[in-house]
Amino acid sequence: MAKSNFSTVPSASLAKALSTVARASGKDPYQMVHVQAENGKLSVRCFNGLMGILAIIPAEDKGNAFDATIDAQAFASLVSSMSGAVTLSPSGKNGLQVQSGSVDVTLKGINKTLAEFEDKDSKKVLTINGQDLLDLLRVGSCAASDITLAYAAVLMNITSGETSSWATDSFRAATCVKAVGGETANILLPLTLVNWMRAVSARATVTVKASEKRVTFEADDSGNVVKITSPVNDASKYPALSRIMDAMFAASGVKFTLDAGTMSKAARQAKTLGADTVALHTDSGNICLRAKSQTASYNNTISKVDGEIAIFLDPQFLGEGMGLFEDSPEMLFLDTKKPLCAKEGDLRILFMPKNPPTEKKAEEAEAVEAAPVAVNVDQPAQVAA
């Protein structure tokens, strides 16, 4: 007997959509996905009580629209093992029949309703292409990694002429600016949302809607849509990073350039050897990176430099930060106890120094165990006159 209602989609498209939305599948009672087929489109949606993701992909439909609510992980795991076309059809109360080749599976329906995550009070504040948005959100690698901390967030500032992003964990800070304006808004994005946004296509057109309580990103890539919504944090309590950045980059110091990939690799190598501190210093007109751990001593000549440099940094932060640059950033060294500045195109990063060793002169440049110098991000750091 022929089916009266069904929807057929490529398994690869459905698997990708499910892997995206399943991130928002929470623990019981939110361990479910809502599936809807209508007007040549198939949508899948998950919501964990706070944050939600909706994905829409093109489909071939026959008959009336239908929907189902089923176990999210079971559906995602099943489809990920399929190849070719997948045909979906309703089964019983909220259930779903899934067919692909010789495989025929019926997933039991869940008699629960996922909350709609549209915010009636939200308004459109920005339209931006996917690549620009991804560039803005890359500063999230400089935010605090512990999501329970206040700095585990990225501040998105929208004005009529540009959109900027800001992140810090108090030991490093980063900002990126794009010449894309919208409605004035200051939105503090939770780091979890920022990480989820990496699923957005660089080719997509992204619409940002915001209210006082929520933000929604809707990315449309030729009919393949991803919509992500989340509560926002209190932006009024976020530090004034722009004042710190402007003060540092306007100060006088030793300017030089280096290959970002080489520096990132050197810092990561030192970290791999167990070093918790690296020293950047000048040696015979070259800038060198040195480190020492219980198991090894490390030395790498990075590039030429005209001036004296001596600063101690965290290798992990240095490696991650330099990895964000594409080519050869402009560097600015101010002082052993002041941030090291790096700039390339629309991206700027500050690397906060670690305390130099007290038992050795800084010019000896032997990295030893050192405590990070915590910078009060609520106040601009002092700079040399």
Side-chain angles (χ1 to χ4, degrees), residues 218-287:
E218 182 173 339
D220 188 339
D221 180 12
S222 302
N224 292 281
V225 178
V226 174
K227 183 184 293 187
I228 304 178
T229 185
S230 169
V232 294
N233 296 342
D234 186 0
S236 66
K237 297 181 180 180
Y238 203 71
L241 291 181
S242 60
R243 290 186 297 163
I244 301 172
M245 285 282 189
D246 291 345
M248 293 294 102
F249 281 90
S252 298
V254 179
K255 296 182 179 180
F256 59 100
T257 61
L258 51 75
D259 182 77
T262 300
M263 178 61 82
S264 178
K265 183 178 180 180
R268 293 174 188 272
Q269 287 174 338
K271 180 66 176 178
T272 300
L273 293 173
D276 291 322
T277 302
V278 295
L280 289 184
H281 71 102
T282 305
D283 184 4
S284 301
N286 295 310
I287 182 168

Side-chain angles (χ1 to χ4, degrees), residues 9-20 44 55-58 79 84 224:
V9 295
S11 59
S13 297
L14 181 56
K16 182 178 180 180
L18 286 171
S19 67
T20 298
V44 288
I56 302 174
I57 57 176
V79 174
N224 292 281

Side-chain angles (χ1 to χ4, degrees), residues 82-311:
M82 292 179 166
S83 60
V86 177
T87 299
L88 309 176
S89 54
S91 176
K93 188 174 183 180
N94 293 334
L96 188 70
Q97 186 176 16
V98 184
Q99 295 176 302
S100 179
S102 61
V103 178
D104 189 339
V105 178
T106 299
L107 296 172
K108 184 179 179 180
I110 299 176
N111 191 26
K112 295 178 182 177
T113 302
L114 276 179
E116 293 290 339
F117 50 63
E118 290 289 346
D119 186 348
K120 296 180 180 179
D121 296 326
S122 68
K123 64 177 183 178
K124 185 173 78 171
V125 295
L126 181 68
T127 300
I128 190 171
N129 70 63
Q131 186 58 64
D132 281 348
L133 179 62
L134 292 172
D135 286 347
L136 287 168
L137 297 182
R138 61 184 162 165
V139 303
S141 65
C142 294
S145 58
D146 185 346
I147 61 174
T148 64
L149 299 177
Y151 293 159
V154 170
L155 180 68
M156 177 177 284
N157 178 258
I158 305 170
T159 67
S160 60
E162 65 181 29
T163 299
S164 59
S165 58
W166 306 82
T168 184
D169 58 3
S170 79
F171 297 112
R172 53 186 167 169
T175 182
C176 181
V177 181
K178 294 293 180 180
V180 181
E183 299 294 325
T184 300
N186 222 23
I187 311 169
L188 191 55
L189 309 174
L191 191 59
T192 299
L193 172 62
V194 173
N195 292 334
W196 285 2
M197 289 301 298
R198 293 192 173 97
V200 169
S201 168
R203 301 181 303 271
T205 298
V206 184
T207 301
V208 184
K209 296 181 179 180
S211 66
E212 290 185 1
K213 297 181 179 180
R214 299 193 72 83
V215 64
T216 300
F217 291 84
E218 182 173 339
D220 188 339
D221 180 12
S222 302
N224 292 281
V225 178
V226 174
K227 183 184 293 187
I228 304 178
T229 185
S230 169
V232 294
N233 296 342
D234 186 0
S236 66
K237 297 181 180 180
Y238 203 71
L241 291 181
S242 60
R243 290 186 297 163
I244 301 172
M245 285 282 189
D246 291 345
M248 293 294 102
F249 281 90
S252 298
V254 179
K255 296 182 179 180
F256 59 100
T257 61
L258 51 75
D259 182 77
T262 300
M263 178 61 82
S264 178
K265 183 178 180 180
R268 293 174 188 272
Q269 287 174 338
K271 180 66 176 178
T272 300
L273 293 173
D276 291 322
T277 302
V278 295
L280 289 184
H281 71 102
T282 305
D283 184 4
S284 301
N286 295 310
I287 182 168
C288 302
L289 183 146
R290 287 186 182 177
K292 180 179 288 188
S293 68
Q294 293 182 347
T295 58
S297 295
Y298 181 90
N299 183 38
N300 194 331
T301 301
I302 305 299
S303 66
K304 295 287 185 180
V305 64
D306 183 14
E308 294 299 317
I309 296 172
I311 191 169

